[in-house]
Structure formats: structure tokens, C-alpha cells
Amino acid sequence: MAEAARLDLKEFEDRLVVVPGGRWAVDTIARFLGELESVPVERYRRVTLDLDRVDFIDTAGALALQRAIQHWQDHGIVVAMRGGGKDQHAIFTAIERHQPLPMAAEPPRNSLLEMLDKLGRATLDVLHEVVDLIAFLGRIVVALAATLRRPRQLRATSLIFHMEEVGLNAMPIVGLMAFLLGVVLAFQGASQLQRFGAEVFVVNLVGISLLREIGVLMSAIIVAGRSGSAFTAQIGSMKVNQEVDALQAMGLDPIHVLVVPRLLALVLTLPLLAFFADIMGLIGGGLMAWIVLDISPATFAERLPEAVSMWSFWVGIIKAPFFAFLIAMIGSYEGFQVEGSATSLGQRTTRAVVEAIFLVIAVDAAFSVFFQVVGI
Amino acid sequence: MTVERERASEVVIRIRGLRNVFGAQVVHDGLNLDVRRGEVLGVVGGSGTGKSVLLRTIIGLNRPAEGSISVFGEDVLAADEEQRRRIERRWGVLFQDGALFSSLTVLENIEVPLREHTTLSHEFARNLAAVKIGLVGLPPEAGDKYPSQLSGGMRKRAGLARALALDPEILFLDEPTAGLDPIGAAAFDALIRQLQQALGLTVFMVTHDLDSLHAICDRIAVLAERRVALIGTMDAMLQSDHPWIRSYFHGPRGRAATGAAA
């Protein structure tokens, strides 16, 4: 097996004798491909291929020789084959039969046109996606309305299960994150406010930014990463396994069975999670204020109602169900878009998270403008 | 040449005293099996007798509790990384549903072993891959498709083309005709037989398909009671009075296949 391939070229005036030898196989021939191709074709009129020295030949070896023969014949050389056993000829015949026709040369590319083409396709894709998403929103609304009309149809077990999954189980990570954000806000605020001797305003800073924006926004972002992606993966793998088709074939609406419980679970739990994040953030901020600025927890608690109006808290909580709706809708939508392969599942999951986070922030910006206009 | 005569009965896979245990379940115990060069060996057995486990054990995806396996005369269980890689290049495996890489086209799938294990130029590798696509009876345009765009039968053919990329000496097939319609299955059988003859392959085939056993297997090994209960030709199977073998080969489906082959 350690045998190598050999290649001898013998010249007789206008005739060339090509004698491959040894083990002429996929792992040994690489270094002779160039030699076969660079035979000076204009010098010969006849080539004889002598296979008698070949101990073993496989399809790669045969293909290499067959390509050389083709090349010589294209240059008007008469090629004759000599020697070789029956097995070897069988392989040659198989190769010749399946050698694909030479591929047409690719037309020259116009990079500007290609770029325009790409841009156009991408634009159309986005457009279709938006239309699809609106259609999906419509189906969700219809399914929700049906559930409202007949609340008994709501799958309670499924709803409770998902509430535990997306709400209760997310509490440790959301709580820890909010606590640390409170710490960071208080610490950064303290070092700035100290310069003006306005240390006590750290309560305003932490209170307003946490309750109004950061608590709910960060909870939504974590939930998008945790649960939005899970929705896509769950529904997507059901789609790949044809479970979604099976539901439909049984006369069940996949939106009703799969999306409504997830969506309601998230809409109900995200406000609670945001509330929990607010509390944890305030604890973190208060603790830091105590350590760095010597503002006791009692003073902190006393100043908080003066610094922060009740509306700041409600502004944060009101946004939570909207964010939840967006995250659940995008997660489920991308799940239903999964096709065929595992690669598609991975791509869709990534897209779900990115789109959900982006939309949450965009909607948050819209809310800011809205609340500004109504003057809260 | 004496070498020629020895080749005919040379044992390429030799398994001795194989024992496979999963938890409390003993799948194989004291299993012996020889596979000879150039034969098509069909491995049959009831569900749970460890046909696929046997295949996975030989190709190194499952480590046995006891026993020895030698392939091409080398002990694969004791082989170091380098030896293993050398041996692995000399066999090809077709998994049940083809196991094609879903992010690559069929052509690219076939090129993977060529690129990883040889120094052939990109252009030559592509050409060779295209030839393999023809060899397994796929139309040329199948090469640019992704596995998810192919039918089950085409995926198996593509998987076979990838298994054949390096011109292996042994071809392992795990239920090659499962999930194919009878016409497709018969065509696949014929393809395997034809390739086996053209390329001089040794074929180790796990199967449930009685028609395949009749059509292309030189010998059949029956797994039962944790070992090879019987190995031999179809005639030997038909004459056996082992209860499972009798009910398998003399059952209604068995009789139909025998009748069709006769």
C-alpha cells in the first residue's frame, strides 16, 4: 500500500509513449497531474498509453489519464491505449461514460450590476418579510379574538407551563442583572454628582432611569434572548419534524395551539418580571448609595417618592406587555419560517433574537416620543 | 500468482469475542465474524439485535467492552490516531439517510473527503466529484443542489457518492434501501452490485430488505442471541431450522422474495 505512483514518458520522434506505473490512485497521483497536462502537445502526432506497469488503478487515477487523453485528442493527436487488465478497462469505461460535458465558461461579471441585483433582492426580501409579518399579526389577532370569545378553548396547562418557563425561571438572571445595573448607575452617578455636592440626587437618577427605562428594557432584552429564541427553536423543530403539518391535518390551528399560549404567557409575565427588575435595581442602587455616598437606606426610601412620580413607574410597566407581544410574535413567526435543514433553524433563531431586540428598542423610542407629547 | 489465490479468501474484517453493553443491556456477547475481500455481506436480525451497533463498532463510533476487531489485518481498537486515519481512508460509510452536510451542495459534500485527505487540485477534485455523481446515477444538475432539495432516494445516492469519493476498499451500508419504494430499492441494489463489481469493493450491508439479500448478497450473517447465529449463503439460510431464521426467510415476505428471485 505504501507503493507510489510512477510516470515515464518516452519519446520516439513524433510519438510519445506514456507509461504510468505502480499504484495509480487518489492518494498518489496528485504530483503527476501537472506533468500530464504539460506534455508539449505540438511536438507529437501520436501518443501511446501503456498500462502494463500499473499495479492498481482507481477512479481518480483513471480520470487523470482520461483527461490527459481528451486533452491530447483535442490537439489532433492520435491516442492509442495498450495493455491493462479487464478491471482497468472497466474503470476507464465507467469514467468515460460519466465524465460531465465541459462546463461553459462563465460570462464575465459586472460587479456594479451584481451589487444592484443583490440590493434589489434584499429590498424585496425585506418587503415580503414585512408583508408576511403583518399577515402573521393578523392571524394572531384572529386567534386571540377567538380565544376571548371562548375562553374555555385556551390551553391552560400550556399557558401555565410557559409562564413558568419564561417568567419564573427567568427571575434569577433578570434579578441579578437589574441589581448590577442599579449598582453601576448609582456608582457612576455618585462620582459625577459629588462634584456638584448634589449627592442626594443619586436617588432621582437611579429611580427615574431604572423605573422608566432600564428595568423594563433590559428585562425585555434578556427575555428576547432567552425565550424569543426558544420559541423559534421549539416551533422550528416542530416544523422540521412535520409536527406543525400534523396539527393542521388534525384540524387544529397551529397559531392557536402553539402561539397563543406562548404569547399570553409572555404578555402576562413580562410586566411582572419588569416589576421585579425595578425592585432589584433599586436595592442595588440603594446599597451602592449607602456604601459610596453614605445615604442610608432609610433616607433613600424617604427620598424616593419625592424624586420619582408614580407615573415614572407606570410608564415602565405599561411598555412591558407591548414588548412581550413583539418578542413572542417575532419568535413564533421565525419558527414558522424554518425550512428543511438544521442550518435554517439556526439562522432563524439568530434572526428572531436580533429582530426582537431591535424592534423592542425601536418601539421604546416611539413610546418616549409619545409620552413626551402627552406630557408624562 | 499465489497472492491472487490468497486474495480471494482474504479476510478484511475479523471480529473476535466482541461484547457490547449499554447499561444493563448486553447487545453482543462473544460475537465472531469474518468478512472476506470482494464479497457482499448482508447482516440481518430482529429489531434490537444490534445490527447498527455492530456497524458502528467496526467503524469506531462505538467502543466495545471486550473483543478485538481487525480491519486490513490491523487492530483498529489498538491503533493510534495516525493508523486509524489511514484505515478510515480505505473505507466509506453510507448512513441511513445519507448524513449529507446540509450546508453544502451535493458536489461540495463529495469534495469534502477529497479536499481533506488528498492534495489534488480544486479543479480536479470537482471533476472527480462530478464523475462520482454520474457513477451513482444522479443527473449532473443534482450536484449544485442542497440535500434538503433532494428526494430520499437521491439523498442516498448522493451519500453513496460521498462514501465512494476516495475509492474505498470496504463500503459500509446502513439499511441502504429503507424508505425507498420497491422500484427505487431494486435500482439501488443493482447500483451497489454494479459498483461493487466495477470497483472491486467489499460491501458490509445492514439491511431488512429480503429482496436485497436475494439480489446482491454473497453471504448473509444472522444476528441472534447476541452473536452471529448463522453465516452463509441464501441456500444455507433456507435450510436452517433455527426458529428465527425459519420465520424470517420462510414467512410470507420471505417466500415472496424467494419466489421472485427463483
Side-chain angles (χ1 to χ4, degrees), chain A residues 129-162:
Chain A
E129 184 113 5
V130 169
V131 171
D132 276 358
L133 204 57
I134 290 171
F136 190 71
L137 174 67
R139 290 178 63 188
I140 290 180
V141 171
V142 169
L144 278 177
T147 312
L148 271 183
R149 234 183 306 133
R150 275 176 299 224
R152 280 168 169 276
Q153 277 197 349
L154 181 65
R155 276 142 221 278
T157 323
S158 177
L159 177 67
I160 302 292
F161 168 79
H162 285 296

Side-chain angles (χ1 to χ4, degrees), chain B residues 13-207:
Chain B
I13 304 176
R14 182 187 300 272
I15 302 171
R16 288 290 176 270
L18 187 74
R19 183 180 161 85
N20 267 311
V21 184
F22 295 102
Q25 192 197 359
V26 181
V27 179
H28 301 131
D29 193 13
L31 183 148
N32 300 324
L33 179 66
D34 285 340
V35 182
R36 301 181 195 145
R37 185 177 287 279
E39 74 173 343
V40 179
L41 178 74
V43 177
V44 299
S47 290
T49 50
K51 304 180 292 292
S52 294
V53 174
L54 179 62
L55 191 154
R56 292 174 62 86
T57 309
I58 299 172
I59 61 179
L61 296 176
N62 172 54
R63 200 159 176 93
E66 274 173 46
S68 72
I69 300 171
S70 68
V71 179
F72 307 119
E74 288 190 78
D75 184 348
V76 287
L77 297 175
D80 61 30
E81 194 98 338
E82 183 55 37
Q83 278 173 305
R84 273 208 68 85
R85 204 162 311 140
R86 230 180 28 237
I87 298 168
E88 278 163 7
R89 283 179 49 164
R90 294 170 63 187
W91 71 45
V93 186
L94 171 61
F95 291 95
Q96 247 191 51
D97 197 31
L100 295 164
F101 304 123
S102 54
S103 56
L104 303 178
T105 64
V106 170
L107 212 52
E108 287 164 347
N109 260 287
I110 304 170
E111 280 176 70
V112 168
L114 292 170
R115 291 224 198 149
E116 296 299 320
H117 287 307
T118 71
T119 51
L120 296 169
S121 71
H122 184 154
E123 190 268 336
F124 188 84
R126 177 138 291 212
N127 191 173
L128 189 54
V131 169
K132 302 276 153 140
I133 285 179
L135 268 178
V136 298
L138 285 174
E141 55 282 6
D144 293 322
K145 291 195 176 146
Y146 286 91
S148 56
Q149 298 170 302
L150 299 178
S151 69
M154 289 173 89
R155 267 206 298 277
K156 288 206 177 181
R157 282 174 190 260
L160 185 62
R162 189 181 65 182
L164 292 174
L166 291 173
D167 276 275
E169 290 161 60
I170 307 178
L171 184 61
F172 291 95
L173 307 171
D174 193 356
E175 307 222 5
T177 52
L180 299 185
D181 65 90
I183 298 169
F188 204 82
D189 283 341
L191 171 68
I192 288 171
R193 191 55 163 174
Q194 175 211 330
L195 289 172
Q196 186 257 341
Q197 279 164 352
L199 308 175
L201 299 167
T202 305
V203 179
F204 180 103
M205 175 165 78
V206 170
T207 187

Side-chain angles (χ1 to χ4, degrees), chain A residues 173-295:
Chain A
I173 181 70
V174 168
L176 180 66
M177 173 219 56
F179 178 84
L180 292 175
L181 281 170
V183 166
V184 170
L185 279 174
F187 192 69
Q188 292 299 327
S191 60
Q192 296 297 319
L193 292 171
Q194 246 170 348
R195 292 198 216 163
F196 309 104
E199 291 94 332
V200 83
F201 284 101
V202 83
V203 181
N204 301 45
L205 175 75
V206 171
I208 292 179
S209 56
L210 258 176
L211 296 188
R212 237 189 135 96
E213 291 292 339
I214 292 182
V216 62
L217 197 59
M218 282 299 168
S219 304
I221 287 173
I222 289 212
V223 165
R226 239 187 127 257
S227 306
S229 61
F231 291 175
T232 309
Q234 287 158 2
I235 295 176
S237 57
M238 288 182 79
K239 181 107 193 289
V240 172
N241 279 338
Q242 289 193 301
E243 291 171 55
V244 174
D245 295 347
L247 280 176
Q248 214 137 24
M250 283 179 222
L252 297 170
D253 178 14
I255 304 277
H256 181 75
V257 179
L258 300 176
V259 180
V260 168
R262 287 181 169 83
L263 188 117
L264 284 182
L266 207 54
V267 168
L268 290 175
T269 49
L270 190 59
L272 301 176
L273 272 179
F275 177 72
F276 177 63
D278 288 351
I279 302 296
M280 291 304 286
L282 288 177
I283 291 175
L287 197 69
M288 211 57 199
W290 192 18
I291 293 171
V292 183
L293 298 174
D294 221 14
I295 299 174

Side-chain angles (χ1 to χ4, degrees), chain A residues 272-341:
Chain A
L272 301 176
L273 272 179
F275 177 72
F276 177 63
D278 288 351
I279 302 296
M280 291 304 286
L282 288 177
I283 291 175
L287 197 69
M288 211 57 199
W290 192 18
I291 293 171
V292 183
L293 298 174
D294 221 14
I295 299 174
S296 77
T299 322
F300 192 92
E302 207 175 297
R303 271 207 57 89
L304 193 62
E306 296 170 28
V308 183
S309 74
M310 207 53 198
W311 265 110
S312 290
F313 166 72
W314 283 119
V315 161
I317 298 296
I318 285 170
K319 292 189 283 193
F322 291 92
F323 293 170
F325 192 95
L326 274 178
I327 293 167
M329 183 179 80
I330 298 283
S332 317
Y333 169 77
E334 291 293 347
F336 282 111
Q337 298 301 306
V338 169
E339 281 158 17
S341 67

